Amino acid sequence: DTGVSQDPRHKITKRGQNVTFRCDPISEHNRLYWYRQTLGQGPEFLTYFQNEAQLEKSRLLSDRFSAERPKGSFSTLEIQRTEQGDSAMYLCASSSPSWTGAGANVLTFGAGSRLTVL
Amino acid sequence: EDQVTQSPEALRLQEGESSSLNCSYTVSGLRGLFWYRQDPGKGPEFLFTLYSAGEEKEKERLKATLTKKESFLHITAPKPEDSATYLCAVQARSGGSYIPTFGRGTSLIVHP
């Protein structure tokens, strides 16, 4: 297993365009998270999937953001009508439902997708 | 609302100079406190999980401890390769889910 993969690694777009990011989690992980991180800040929670069900969504998340996880495998995060404030690193993480010792919901992160909105 | 505060924001050490990073938290029903390391341009990498006050975990030059209100990451005799941002996250139940909430991190630079 190659870990969590994210694509693209970098995306530069113009304000108002739509962008989509893809995340391929570790195959046996049924939990998938999206976080956003800006310079000097910690990761900020966006949304969470358990299998194909989107169970949690940040109250701060604009309705321009939508995420899917069809068939409980890969996930996509789409941002419509991008704004300059959307510029950030978008991190995907996955975890397995183990509640024993150090395995309990340890997140494995991908390298992130960096978005620059001009 | 769960809150995680890390201090200091930045720390510069000389190689071999031991120090500690702090993570204070307010959360109802803690279900784990996590430490991650993040290198520039990369995603966070898991270091430790702590569950209950008094618990300690060690890995090489790092030791994490937990009390009811805060956690410390002790770095003993650091080396330049320990330079990174160290993130603390707490996890509590949110509805039927467990969502880790991260602090802003401490940026550590170790000079040779």
Side-chain angles (χ1 to χ4, degrees):
Chain A
D1 196 330
T2 57
V4 178
S5 299
Q6 292 190 244
D7 184 71
R9 292 292 315 279
H10 303 277
K11 178 71 176 179
I12 300 174
T13 191
K14 293 183 179 179
R15 188 177 54 187
Q17 299 295 305
N18 299 344
V19 296
T20 299
F21 300 114
R22 176 180 170 123
C23 172
D24 288 272
I26 292 173
S27 56
E28 61 266 29
H29 286 182
N30 70 337
R31 296 176 175 174
L32 188 146
Y33 301 78
W34 284 99
Y35 284 84
R36 174 172 61 191
Q37 187 176 29
T38 54
L39 194 64
Q41 302 294 315
E44 174 193 19
F45 170 72
L46 295 178
T47 190
Y48 161 67
F49 290 85
Q50 184 165 310
N51 300 310
E52 67 276 9
Q54 187 175 21
L55 298 184
E56 292 287 338
K57 193 173 173 181
S58 170
R59 294 190 302 272
L60 302 175
L61 197 60
S62 162
D63 57 9
R64 296 183 296 104
F65 287 68
S66 62
E68 294 183 337
R69 193 183 182 195
K71 302 179 182 179
S73 56
F74 72 92
S75 176
T76 58
L77 176 69
E78 182 183 18
I79 309 173
Q80 296 183 326
R81 304 181 303 281
T82 53
E83 301 172 357
Q84 288 185 326
D86 297 331
S87 296
M89 175 77 84
Y90 289 85
L91 293 165
C92 176
S94 66
S95 70
S96 64
S98 166
W99 292 103
T100 58
N105 211 33
V106 171
L107 301 187
T108 300
F109 282 87
S113 293
R114 180 168 296 284
L115 173 65
T116 301
V117 181
L118 301 177
Chain B
E1 184 176 314
D2 301 342
Q3 289 200 356
V4 183
T5 304
Q6 291 190 245
S7 61
E9 289 187 10
L11 182 62
R12 292 177 179 268
L13 300 174
Q14 289 297 127
E15 184 172 2
E17 179 186 3
S18 301
S19 189
S20 297
L21 313 182
N22 177 264
C23 171
S24 61
Y25 62 91
T26 55
V27 62
S28 299
L30 182 71
R31 292 291 184 272
L33 182 142
F34 305 84
W35 283 98
Y36 288 82
R37 169 189 171 130
Q38 186 173 27
D39 292 300
K42 297 185 177 181
E45 181 181 343
F46 170 74
L47 292 173
F48 303 109
T49 309
L50 301 165
Y51 291 103
S52 55
E55 189 174 359
E56 298 182 352
K57 295 277 181 70
E58 283 190 70
K59 180 180 178 181
E60 296 181 353
R61 296 176 292 282
L62 301 177
K63 179 180 177 180
T65 61
L66 181 65
T67 72
K68 288 186 178 180
K69 295 183 179 180
E70 59 190 350
S71 176
F72 291 93
L73 184 65
H74 307 278
I75 303 177
T76 302
K79 298 182 178 181
E81 53 262 42
D82 294 322
S83 298
T85 294
Y86 291 85
L87 296 163
C88 170
V90 297
Q91 179 170 261
R93 193 177 181 112
S94 172
S97 306
Y98 292 85
I99 309 296
T101 299
F102 284 82
R104 295 178 62 171
T106 293
S107 175
L108 173 66
I109 297 176
V110 182
H111 296 284

